[in-house]
Amino acid sequence: MKKNIVLFVLFILPIVAYLFFASGVNGFTKLPTITPNTADFGNWQSLDGQKVTLNGKVTILGFMGTELLKNRGNLFNLNQKIYQRYHEFKDVQFVMICPTGTEKDAKKVVDALGAFTDVAQWRFVFASPDEIKVYYDQLKLVEKLDDKLGTPKVYIVDKKRNLRGRKLVKDAKEGYSTFHPAELSNEMLDDFKVILYEYRAALKKNNNATRKI
């Protein structure tokens, strides 16, 4: 019996530990900053009338465009793969920027999600087409919005309003496609865990007993 325990500690346990830490592409290292100090939303109107800000929140940021209902399947993918896992963390929010005039469509999406999800961390904000274009441009992303002011990709913004992602040798991973569930389950989930790990490590270092993440 003791021999089996020794063998487990010497051979099996190191392998398990390696697989755990190697399971993510970033291996729980710091996720690079793609665009620092992005702009906040100012006084943009939200669906529930409450002020929405990026400050002090880990934000999943999206641009839904005028065809919100047509592309609602993308939000359902995001809801199932990411939101459901982390919506109970009060420092996490999912913010979708939509053109003014799509409020009723956004309400329909929220109601549909609310049938099986606590939608408290889903936030929809509305702005004019010009405001959305200016806001998106200041993110300095390679890909552009489509002619409907939308994109299937979502982005990770940290508590200090830095847009985070991967800086690869040949390309950068700025955002994550909500059209492909596998990308959400793999690349995005992995990177989101890295962000949360950063804050957990900082809270632990500072002995913060009131952590929210």
Side-chain angles (χ1 to χ4, degrees), residues 147-186:
D147 59 357
K148 306 296 183 182
L149 299 176
T151 173
K153 290 190 174 182
V154 292
Y155 308 91
I156 298 175
V157 181
D158 68 21
K159 291 184 177 184
K160 295 182 179 180
R161 306 205 315 264
N162 300 310
L163 191 149
R164 308 287 286 277
R166 302 185 187 187
K167 290 185 177 180
L168 307 178
V169 175
K170 295 183 179 180
D171 199 2
K173 189 73 174 180
E174 299 175 327
Y176 312 85
S177 176
T178 57
F179 183 77
H180 299 289
E183 184 167 334
L184 298 177
S185 297
N186 295 307

Side-chain angles (χ1 to χ4, degrees), residues 63 132-139 141 143-145 155:
F63 296 81
I132 292 175
K133 291 176 182 177
V134 169
Y135 188 88
Y136 187 86
D137 286 345
Q138 62 88 32
L139 295 176
L141 301 171
E143 294 190 23
K144 303 302 180 183
L145 294 176
Y155 308 91

